[in-house]
């Protein structure tokens, strides 16, 4: 099972002591108990690759395991909340470890499964895009480029879900992107590279809307 360079133990402990909104996972348990796979566990059963918990189908309060990437077999299953915390930690580490962090690497945990290296898809991708927007709003609200990247991640997810409600939502998100990009383009002394990047976002937005 693939593991990230982050401390799996610390992340696992965090995921297993989340808020009460996550049912039994909101109950604090001792680390040795929750981090150990007992002899009674089914080794072939899908389990979250972050917290290692097996899906309990008999408990309606237990958050379901999801997998919307290209992983196969029993790999790649996870809880949405676990991946959100994983992505927060990865992005924060990347941001804090360099004076000029790589933006692609900063965004990658919210877009790419670290096990199969393929993009997340469907409602799972949309859930992560919404969580990324919340993360950017809380930590980087003055960074216009991160706002655009987070909005575009949501637009990208919406454009691949075939429903009228999602199409309408995609148009709304596209308008937000165009508004932020227009403000960036009006910035005095804008570097040519930044202008080119803004124009690329314009093109990406039209492409996503056209794919609907």
């Amino acid at each position: 099972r693939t593991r990230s360079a982050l401390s799996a133990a610390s992340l696992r402990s965090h995921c297993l002591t989340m808020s009460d909104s996550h049912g039994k996972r909101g109950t604090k348990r001792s680390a040795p108990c929750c981090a150990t796979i007992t002899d009674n566990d089914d080794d072939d059963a899908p389990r979250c690759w972050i917290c290692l918990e097996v899906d309990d189908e008999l408990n309606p309060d237990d958050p379901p395991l999801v997998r919307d990437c290209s992983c196969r077999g029993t790999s790649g299953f996870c809880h949405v909340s676990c991946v959100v915390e994983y992505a927060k930690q990865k992005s924060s580490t990347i941001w804090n470890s360099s004076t000029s962090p790589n933006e692609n690497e900063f965004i990658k945990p919210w877009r790419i499964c670290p096990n199969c290296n393929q993009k997340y898809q469907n409602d799972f991708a949309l859930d992560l895009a919404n969580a990324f927007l919340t993360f950017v709003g809380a930590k980087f609200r003055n960074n216009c480029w991160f706002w655009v990247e987070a909005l575009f991640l949501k637009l990208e997810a919406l454009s691949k879900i075939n429903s009228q409600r999602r199409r309408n939502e995609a148009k709304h998100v596209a308008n937000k992107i165009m508004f932020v990009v227009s403000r960036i383009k009006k910035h005095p002394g804008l570097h040519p590279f930044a202008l080119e990047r803004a124009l690329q976002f314009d093109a990406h937005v039209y492409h996503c809307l056209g794919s609907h």
Side-chain angles (χ1 to χ4, degrees), residues 13-197:
S13 176
H14 181 89
C15 290
L16 289 169
T17 56
M18 286 183 182
S19 66
D20 292 338
S21 63
H22 294 91
K24 74 174 187 179
R25 288 161 52 80
T27 304
K28 188 174 179 62
R29 290 163 287 175
S30 61
C33 177
C34 62
T36 302
I37 303 174
T38 67
D39 292 337
N40 294 327
D41 288 327
D42 185 355
D43 289 339
D44 294 328
R47 65 180 69 246
C48 177
W49 65 268
I50 297 174
C51 73
L52 301 184
E53 285 195 354
V54 177
D55 192 15
D56 186 357
E57 296 180 353
L58 299 179
N59 187 348
D61 294 326
D62 197 32
L65 289 176
V66 296
R67 182 178 66 179
D68 259 325
C69 54
S70 295
C71 287
R72 294 293 181 268
T74 58
S75 67
F77 286 97
C78 55
H79 300 104
V80 174
S81 56
C82 287
V83 177
V84 168
E85 293 304 318
Y86 163 83
K88 285 180 180 178
Q89 289 195 28
K90 286 286 286 185
S91 294
S92 296
T93 299
I94 291 166
W95 178 261
N96 294 326
S97 63
S98 173
T99 55
S100 55
N102 185 310
E103 289 191 10
N104 288 331
E105 290 299 315
F106 179 85
I107 299 162
K108 185 177 178 180
W110 305 90
R111 175 180 280 154
I112 304 293
C113 171
N115 297 295
C116 65
N117 291 315
Q118 299 299 313
K119 287 184 178 181
Y120 295 117
Q121 303 168 35
N122 305 315
D123 287 335
F124 187 33
L126 183 57
D127 288 340
L128 290 182
N130 284 324
F132 186 36
L133 271 168
T134 301
F135 175 69
V136 169
K139 301 290 186 180
F140 306 96
R141 64 181 306 108
N142 294 323
N143 190 315
C144 291
W145 288 118
F146 282 174
W147 273 117
V148 174
E149 290 282 7
L151 286 167
F152 184 74
L153 191 63
K154 182 172 183 176
L155 175 62
E156 196 175 42
L158 288 168
S159 68
K160 295 176 181 178
I161 301 176
N162 187 22
S163 78
Q164 186 60 49
R165 183 168 71 89
R166 296 308 190 191
R167 282 193 287 271
N168 292 337
E169 191 176 352
K171 292 176 182 177
H172 179 66
V173 173
N175 287 333
K176 285 187 176 181
I177 295 173
M178 300 296 279
F179 174 74
V180 177
V181 169
S182 68
R183 293 188 63 182
I184 292 174
K185 289 189 290 187
K186 292 176 182 177
H187 193 279
L190 185 66
H191 192 279
F193 174 78
L195 177 59
E196 180 182 355
R197 186 179 179 189

